[in-house]
Amino acid sequence: MDDMKTSSSAGAKLAGFTLVVAAVFAATFGVARAVAPDSATGSAGAVHSGHAGHAAATAPGLAVAEAGYRLVAESTTLGPGPAVPFRIRIVGSNGQAVQRYEQLHERELHLIVVRRDLTGFQHVHPTRGPDGTWAVPLDLQAGGTWRAFADFAPTGGPAQLTLGVDLQVPGAFTPGAGPTAVAPPDPSLDVSFDRRGDDMSISVRRDGVPIEPEPYLGARGHLVALRAGDLAYLHVHPQDGGRPNVHFTTTLPTKGTYALFFDYQVDGIVHTAVTTVEAS
């Protein structure tokens, strides 16, 4: 067994995440063993990719339109601020806003937003209006180009889709030193990862005492992996068993540098641990 730790934006210590990246990208790109995708009902599983259930023409999150569906932002230029209104529609092949969705992990649509230098990660859930428009405030205090990913399953359509669009935020641009999340770190929380073959066991501790993450969106943790350079996207969930630790099934990765954002909940508060790994 390898014991591995490193720092994160949530006060967590992460390391040895190469195998986790493998679990994320194996299901989409067919590397070594595949990991079974989540069902549209949102049961806890290994991979919640933007293309589960149908052949993908490209990696998840790289396209603004796919399979007859398009992500349309009301505006792709947004003013800077801590709570900037953002509105989108998912438009079907008939040109109309989609009105019916299947739930994926307790929500009809998950929105992931991050600046292209992998800073300012946020996972939010917009509200859908009667006309099919989704609205949510975003934390866009830093200028630059941001990427918004909409993760959803239209009723009668593909099992899952992940569409992405770039957003321009005016202001001085200072590249970040590494990936960060919007949520501030909690110094009382620590996350460690232990590797045993193809199993990654994730332990969460508060003040040094092991604790079990609370259920959050139908799982005990969520991992979003973004590939540096093009921001290819995948969303991974843990396997059951081995409590209080959280377990991911792993396999060999594709090559590249990835930012990993691990969401977990403690005392009703969602925390995000962040790290960067080099997969070879």
Side-chain angles (χ1 to χ4, degrees):
M1 179 182 75
D2 297 324
D3 243 355
M4 301 163 289
K5 296 185 179 180
T6 182
S7 61
S8 79
S9 70
K13 296 180 179 179
L14 305 173
F17 245 10
T18 298
L19 291 182
V20 175
V21 173
V24 176
F25 285 87
T28 295
F29 299 109
V31 180
R33 286 206 330 254
V35 183
D38 289 342
S39 70
T41 59
S43 60
V47 175
H48 173 191
S49 83
H51 300 287
H54 72 284
T58 186
L62 298 184
V64 72
E66 186 180 343
Y69 296 87
R70 176 176 291 273
L71 170 60
V72 179
E74 185 177 78
S75 177
T76 55
T77 300
L78 304 172
V84 180
F86 181 57
R87 292 162 61 89
I88 62 171
R89 292 181 300 138
I90 305 299
V91 176
S93 56
N94 60 1
Q96 302 299 312
V98 176
Q99 296 278 8
R100 298 176 60 203
Y101 297 81
E102 303 298 326
Q103 286 208 350
L104 298 173
H105 285 269
E106 301 183 354
R107 296 292 188 275
E108 290 185 339
L109 186 141
H110 298 260
L111 188 71
I112 304 295
V113 180
V114 65
R115 203 168 68 164
R116 277 202 167 268
D117 64 350
L118 296 170
T119 62
F121 173 91
Q122 50 205 290
H123 178 176
V124 296
H125 301 100
T127 300
R128 179 164 55 89
D131 65 348
T133 298
W134 296 90
V136 68
L138 300 178
D139 189 334
L140 302 174
Q141 299 183 66
T145 300
W146 294 70
R147 186 73 173 172
F149 302 91
D151 203 350
F152 61 96
T155 299
Q160 287 180 239
L161 283 171
T162 302
L163 303 180
V165 64
D166 277 354
L167 309 175
Q168 307 301 328
V169 178
F173 174 73
T174 302
T180 63
V182 166
D186 183 336
S188 71
L189 293 172
D190 174 276
V191 177
S192 64
F193 292 77
D194 296 332
R195 184 184 68 189
R196 298 185 182 185
D198 284 348
D199 179 70
M200 182 69 73
S201 178
I202 303 173
S203 174
V204 178
R205 294 178 175 85
R206 180 167 52 192
D207 297 325
V209 179
I211 61 173
E212 181 175 345
E214 300 162 354
Y216 170 58
L217 300 177
R220 292 185 299 139
H222 300 256
L223 181 73
V224 169
L226 297 173
R227 186 169 60 199
D230 62 1
L231 300 192
Y233 164 104
L234 275 178
H235 187 170
V236 183
H237 301 104
Q239 303 287 353
D240 290 332
R243 297 171 187 270
N245 289 4
V246 184
H247 296 267
F248 289 91
T249 300
T250 59
T251 188
L252 296 176
T254 58
K255 293 183 179 180
T257 301
Y258 305 97
L260 305 178
F261 301 87
F262 180 68
D263 288 341
Y264 63 100
Q265 181 169 287
V266 176
D267 292 338
I269 299 174
V270 178
H271 304 271
T272 304
V274 182
T275 194
T276 301
V277 299
E278 192 73 31
S280 59

